[in-house]
């Protein structure tokens, strides 16, 4: 279970002055649930997700990962989390198989077990053709699949994914969507941000709409429909972030 309690993040920028990237944001995501985070560019999605993943300290507030306080016990919390963004770095000169072996060792997973998990992910994500090709020569989508495999290798119960399908073609995206579905069926808690409304609509149990660092809507699509009187998630989103205010 993931729980954010009034997380706030201020950045001090020389040119722009003080920026409130995330403003008293609270939300929760239970195990076996997918929470979709929607927001315009600059809304605060990445900042919020990085705070959950212990990669960034909040200015105030905190979050709990399976009841572990991310501010007080970042290392303990981190052990429960797989964090995936669209630009996770990989060693360019290694092959996917080598990378998985290397990270497996780091996580204390045996060689045999690493190989089994690699095979599993390779089947779901369609990686068989390039497991022995150096990362240097892989496409964006292929690299993303390797990054995801790497961050999920230790079977983390919590997945935090920042635009995991950004810039990927429809087939690569579908593979990743399939992986997210599978993670849900394994009772993990999954938070992912996206710009793709139909992806969110099909996949998410609940939606969180962030605007200017604040939650403008949060709940099941059904609940958002009731609140807004609007059927379509696209339109609900526009209504929640529009220039109406
Ligand atoms: N390291 C930083 N220093 C200064 N401002 C930042 C930094 N990171 C993010 N911001 C600002 O915080 C706001 C939220 O950014 P971000 O969380 O990346 O939004 P999103 O992921 O929704 O596009 C933006 O105004 C962005 O410019
Ligand atoms: Mg972002």
């Amino acid at each position: 279970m993931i729980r954010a309690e009034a997380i706030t993040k201020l950045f001090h920028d020389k040119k722009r002055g003080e920026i409130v990237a995330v403003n008293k944001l609270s939300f929760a995501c239970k195990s076996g649930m997918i929470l979709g985070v929607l927001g315009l560019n600059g809304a605060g999605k990445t900042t919020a997700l990085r705070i959950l993943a212990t990669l960034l300290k909040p200015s105030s507030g905190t979050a709990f990962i399976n009841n572990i306080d991310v501010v007080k016990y970042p290392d303990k919390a981190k052990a429960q989390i797989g964090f995936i963004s669209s630009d996770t770095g990989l060693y360019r000169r290694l092959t996917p198989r080598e990378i998985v072996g290397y990270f497996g060792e780091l996580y204390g997973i045996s060689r045999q077990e690493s190989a089994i998990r690699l095979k599993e992910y390779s089947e779901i994500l369609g990686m068989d053709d390039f497991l022995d090709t150096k990362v240097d020569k892989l496409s964006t989508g292929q690299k993303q699949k390797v990054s995801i495999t790497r961050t999920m290798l230790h079977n983390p119960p919590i997945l935090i994914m920042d635009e995991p399908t950004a810039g990927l073609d429809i087939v690569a995206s579908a593979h990743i969507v399939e992986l997210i579905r599978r993670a849900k069926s394994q009772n993990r808690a999954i938070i992912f941000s996206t710009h793709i409304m139909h992806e969110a609509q099909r996949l998410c149990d609940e939606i969180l709409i962030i605007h200017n660092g604040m939650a403008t809507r949060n709940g099941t699509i059904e609940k958002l429909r009731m609140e807004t009187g609007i059927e379509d998630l696209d339109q609900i989103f526009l209504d929640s972030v529009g220039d109406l205010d």
Side-chain angles (χ1 to χ4, degrees):
M1 157 119 184
I2 304 162
R3 205 169 75 242
E5 290 189 351
I7 50 175
T8 295
K9 182 69 185 180
L10 308 176
F11 287 114
H12 300 278
D13 188 272
K14 272 188 191 138
K15 282 189 190 148
R16 292 158 73 199
E18 189 175 84
I19 297 159
V20 188
V22 174
N23 195 350
K24 299 196 183 103
L25 194 59
S26 298
F27 57 87
C29 177
K30 290 187 193 133
S31 301
M33 220 183 91
I34 303 174
L35 175 68
V37 181
L38 306 178
L40 300 174
N41 291 327
K45 303 181 295 294
T46 297
T47 304
L49 296 185
R50 287 177 64 84
I51 289 171
L52 292 182
T54 75
L55 300 172
L56 203 61
K57 284 258 175 278
S59 307
S60 66
T62 191
F64 296 88
I65 298 292
N66 285 342
N67 292 319
I68 304 163
D69 188 320
V70 298
V71 175
K72 284 190 188 146
Y73 309 105
D75 292 340
K76 258 180 124 178
K78 201 172 182 181
Q80 307 268 320
I81 299 169
F83 177 75
I84 293 142
S85 70
S86 50
D87 57 1
T88 310
L90 291 169
Y91 297 100
R92 296 187 359 240
R93 295 198 186 174
L94 297 184
T95 68
R97 198 187 302 279
E98 289 165 345
I99 288 173
V100 166
Y102 176 77
F103 277 91
E105 259 176 55
L106 230 99
Y107 290 134
I109 302 166
S110 74
R111 273 186 180 269
Q112 290 99 315
E113 185 57 32
S114 274
I116 292 169
R117 292 187 195 175
L118 176 63
K119 188 159 178 283
E120 232 178 87
Y121 282 108
S122 186
E123 263 166 35
I124 304 165
L125 295 172
M127 301 196 295
D128 284 355
D129 293 345
F130 58 87
L131 286 180
D132 297 301
T133 306
K134 283 192 170 48
V135 164
D136 247 352
K137 296 191 176 144
L138 301 183
S139 70
T140 308
Q142 290 171 330
K143 281 186 201 152
Q144 180 67 337
K145 291 173 179 183
V146 180
S147 292
I148 289 179
T149 303
R150 194 202 88 181
T151 44
M152 290 185 64
L153 205 56
H154 59 309
N155 287 334
I158 308 280
L159 289 181
I160 299 171
M161 310 174 104
D162 190 17
E163 301 200 36
T165 59
L168 303 192
D169 68 44
I170 187 164
V171 176
S173 298
H175 277 130
I176 289 167
V177 164
E178 182 51 37
L179 188 92
I180 296 175
R181 282 222 172 84
R182 183 169 169 274
K184 173 184 155 88
S185 75
Q186 293 167 328
N187 207 34
R188 303 182 199 215
I190 303 131
I191 293 193
F192 85 103
S193 63
T194 183
H195 273 116
I196 307 163
M197 293 294 156
H198 69 84
E199 201 171 273
Q201 189 149 5
R202 283 209 313 252
L203 204 54
C204 297
D205 299 291
E206 290 191 11
I207 300 284
L208 171 70
I209 299 177
I210 305 183
H211 191 47
N212 294 331
M214 291 182 275
T216 54
R217 300 269 172 212
N218 186 199
T220 61
I221 294 181
E222 221 25 68
K223 175 175 176 249
L224 304 196
R225 283 182 178 140
M226 299 276 280
E227 283 175 3
T228 57
I230 303 169
E231 175 68 20
D232 193 43
L233 185 60
D234 265 314
Q235 294 300 322
I236 292 175
F237 178 73
L238 286 173
D239 178 74
S240 310
V241 303
D243 301 316
L244 307 171
D245 46 31

